Amino acid sequence: MFIHALADRVRRSGGSPLLTCYDAADDSRIELSATTFANWVDKTANLIVDLGHEDGEPIDIALATTHPGHWVTYVWIAAAWQRGCPVMDGTGDTSLLVVGPHDTGRAPTTVMCSLHPLGRALAEAPAGVVDYVEVFGQPDLHDEAIGLGEAMWSDRPIGRVTPSDERLLIADPAPGWQTAATALVAPVLGGGSTVLASGYDAGALDLISVSERARVL
């Protein structure tokens, strides 16, 4: 199960990179070790509780469709699974919706993420939304009682994902489950890591591949 595999990864090699994100739009590079990623997941899972969302109820993570190259997207996916919540990727009629700063979708509870490389606050939060920056006030305490069920994407269990021990570079990742499986689930299961790069030309991607020692997928 994914959440147990993430905990095992932290115990085995918590300081090693898990997810590295490059974005040409803001010339940023953010690297999250397994430990740092898991801390973000725990904080976000605790935020979900504070928002009043029930464990096991689906969460529409629209970011998986609109921003599949951002690390916050994968934190939310993992946090949903930690609370036993199926992930909907922009198509679900749910009580909790997670969007980016320019998305117009709304739900009874809408969390808006600035997508700043360091997770900073929105410049101005629209009325009626929760700024994801509130996650900083959450404890990074892991609830061992949650995340015991099968991880779900839409209305189906995620099934078997082939573990990966490689360091892979994914350029301009596509939205949806296959990217989540390759970029997040496979390296957690197999001890690998992922570099996501958005908005770069072929020459720049070659340089990133060499500097990160990552194989271009």
Side-chain angles (χ1 to χ4, degrees), residues 26-85:
D26 52 20
D27 192 28
S28 64
R29 176 189 181 277
I30 297 296
E31 182 173 279
L32 278 68
S33 68
T35 295
T36 300
F37 181 83
N39 284 346
W40 274 96
V41 171
D42 286 336
K43 284 179 174 291
T44 304
N46 291 327
L47 176 63
I48 290 169
V49 174
D50 275 4
L51 293 173
H53 192 74
E54 295 290 334
D55 291 340
E57 291 299 310
I59 300 174
D60 191 346
I61 304 175
L63 294 178
T65 296
T66 59
H67 297 87
H70 202 285
W71 61 268
V72 166
T73 298
Y74 299 93
V75 166
W76 268 102
I77 290 170
W81 288 340
Q82 183 168 312
R83 301 249 50 109
C85 299

Side-chain angles (χ1 to χ4, degrees), residues 3-165:
I3 293 302
H4 287 169
L6 179 59
D8 288 343
R9 171 67 182 268
V10 169
R11 284 191 290 268
R12 291 195 315 270
S13 55
S16 64
L18 175 61
L19 192 62
T20 305
C21 297
Y22 283 79
D23 193 336
D26 52 20
D27 192 28
S28 64
R29 176 189 181 277
I30 297 296
E31 182 173 279
L32 278 68
S33 68
T35 295
T36 300
F37 181 83
N39 284 346
W40 274 96
V41 171
D42 286 336
K43 284 179 174 291
T44 304
N46 291 327
L47 176 63
I48 290 169
V49 174
D50 275 4
L51 293 173
H53 192 74
E54 295 290 334
D55 291 340
E57 291 299 310
I59 300 174
D60 191 346
I61 304 175
L63 294 178
T65 296
T66 59
H67 297 87
H70 202 285
W71 61 268
V72 166
T73 298
Y74 299 93
V75 166
W76 268 102
I77 290 170
W81 288 340
Q82 183 168 312
R83 301 249 50 109
C85 299
V87 171
M88 311 297 289
D89 56 347
T91 58
D93 180 14
T94 67
S95 63
L96 176 56
L97 172 67
V98 185
V99 300
H102 305 298
D103 298 335
T104 58
R106 298 291 183 268
T109 301
T110 301
V111 177
M112 183 171 284
C113 307
S114 71
L115 301 181
H116 184 280
L118 300 178
R120 292 176 182 166
L122 294 159
E124 184 176 354
V129 307
V130 177
D131 190 335
Y132 180 53
V133 77
E134 292 190 15
V135 76
F136 282 105
Q138 295 293 326
D140 52 356
L141 298 175
H142 181 68
D143 188 343
E144 292 285 354
I146 305 300
L148 301 180
E150 186 74 28
M152 301 278 289
W153 190 276
S154 189
D155 58 350
R156 298 181 180 180
I158 63 173
R160 186 179 187 278
V161 175
T162 302
S164 171
D165 61 1

